[in-house]
């Protein structure tokens, strides 16, 4: 009887259901991957939200620091890595390029800038080359990632206004080079582009004080060369006189 009762209860129990597996929806699409241009735009937006501080200081105008490579490249490298692409700089004699390479596709994007020779007073050829390459890297990155110092760092609009929409106050202490200085620069065979590069500015940004400093440096360099030539000529004349005296005594 007991066995019959257990058998009857087992018959009443519902059969265990097999786990059902959901069939994948044939119409469902895999998540779309970002294009390289979308990734670059994401980095631009991310960099704008990052607190970037200017560390470069202009000679004679410390109140107006400028943006150096080291101020934004650490944040930029992290943002590019997160978006899975990188940017590589390349230099030739004719041009400098910055090319973005996507990790997830064969897409690339290149910014190009023509190379320019700069002669900075007191620097040798290798130092001048290093200065040119550093400036090229800075401007290539700023072009690709839309880095505007006034927009990111000063809260300005890029059109001469501050963050409150009010015009920025003019720098009353700034005075442009005088016509007499420009004539002297030309007479000394100097180049305003080189003077601007020495002070890490554009030609329009250099002041008359800086031009005066550059003129004084050029005159000092010329005087040094002339003094060296005069010393060499004096030594040659002394040697020649000694030779003549020796020959005269011998006769």
């Amino acid at each position: 009887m007991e066995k019959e009762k257990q058998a009857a209860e087992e018959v009443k129990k519902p059969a265990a259901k097999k786990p059902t597996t959901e069939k994948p929806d044939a119409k469902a699409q895999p998540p779309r991957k970002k294009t390289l241009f979308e990734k670059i735009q994401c980095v631009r937006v991310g960099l704008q939200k990052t607190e970037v501080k200017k560390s470069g200081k202009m000679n004679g105008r410390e109140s107006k620091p400028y943006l150096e490579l080291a101020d934004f490249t650490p944040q930029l490298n992290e943002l590019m890595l997160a978006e899975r692409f990188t940017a590589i700089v390349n230099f030739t004699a004719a041009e400098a390029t910055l090319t973005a390479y996507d990790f997830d596709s064969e897409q690339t994007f290149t910014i190009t800038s023509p190379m320019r020779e700069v002669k900075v007073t007191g620097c040798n050829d290798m130092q001048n080359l290093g200065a040119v390459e550093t400036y090229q890297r800075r401007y290539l990155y700023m072009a690709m990632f839309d880095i505007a110092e006034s927009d990111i760092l000063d809260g300005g609009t890029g059109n001469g206004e501050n963050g409150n929409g009010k015009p920025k106050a003019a720098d009353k202490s700034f005075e442009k080079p005088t016509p007499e200085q420009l004539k002297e620069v030309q007479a000394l065979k100097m180049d305003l582009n080189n003077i601007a590069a020495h002070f890490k500015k554009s030609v329009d940004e250099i002041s008359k004080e800086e031009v005066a400093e550059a003129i004084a440096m050029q005159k000092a360099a010329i005087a040094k060369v002339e003094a060296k030539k005069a010393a060499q000529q004096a030594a040659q004349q002394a040697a020649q006189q000694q030779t003549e005296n020796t020959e005269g005594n011998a006769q």
Side-chain angles (χ1 to χ4, degrees), residues 161-211:
E161 296 180 353
N162 57 24
N164 298 323
K166 297 179 181 180
K168 293 181 180 179
D171 185 359
K172 296 180 180 180
S173 63
F174 176 75
E175 294 184 26
K176 291 186 176 182
T178 64
E180 291 76 13
Q181 285 180 316
L182 297 178
K183 289 180 181 179
E184 193 168 8
V185 165
Q186 187 175 7
L188 292 170
K189 298 181 180 180
M190 301 171 68
D191 189 337
L192 284 177
N193 290 311
N194 294 343
I195 296 174
H198 175 73
F199 291 103
K200 298 180 180 181
K201 297 179 180 180
S202 67
V203 172
D204 294 334
E205 292 176 330
I206 54 177
S207 65
K208 72 174 187 179
E209 290 81 7
E210 290 160 342
V211 171

Side-chain angles (χ1 to χ4, degrees), residues 124-189:
N124 58 38
D125 290 342
M126 285 302 297
Q127 290 171 325
N128 283 319
L129 177 61
V132 171
E133 291 182 350
T134 298
Y135 273 102
Q136 287 283 25
R137 286 181 62 207
R138 177 175 178 264
Y139 291 125
L140 286 170
Y141 277 122
M142 294 179 75
M144 178 173 287
F145 297 103
D146 200 22
I147 302 173
E149 294 186 33
S150 58
D151 292 341
I152 294 179
L153 302 174
D154 299 332
T157 61
N159 60 358
E161 296 180 353
N162 57 24
N164 298 323
K166 297 179 181 180
K168 293 181 180 179
D171 185 359
K172 296 180 180 180
S173 63
F174 176 75
E175 294 184 26
K176 291 186 176 182
T178 64
E180 291 76 13
Q181 285 180 316
L182 297 178
K183 289 180 181 179
E184 193 168 8
V185 165
Q186 187 175 7
L188 292 170
K189 298 181 180 180

Side-chain angles (χ1 to χ4, degrees), residues 84-98:
R84 294 186 55 76
F85 76 98
T86 188
I88 305 298
V89 181
N90 187 47
F91 300 101
T92 67
E95 64 183 16
T97 59
L98 178 66

Side-chain angles (χ1 to χ4, degrees), residues 90-138:
N90 187 47
F91 300 101
T92 67
E95 64 183 16
T97 59
L98 178 66
T99 302
Y101 296 92
D102 189 16
F103 295 166
D104 302 316
S105 70
E106 298 297 322
Q107 284 185 310
T108 63
F109 176 63
T110 300
I111 295 288
T112 304
S113 175
M115 291 291 283
R116 290 289 184 267
E117 184 178 359
V118 175
K119 293 292 184 182
V120 181
T121 304
C123 293
N124 58 38
D125 290 342
M126 285 302 297
Q127 290 171 325
N128 283 319
L129 177 61
V132 171
E133 291 182 350
T134 298
Y135 273 102
Q136 287 283 25
R137 286 181 62 207
R138 177 175 178 264

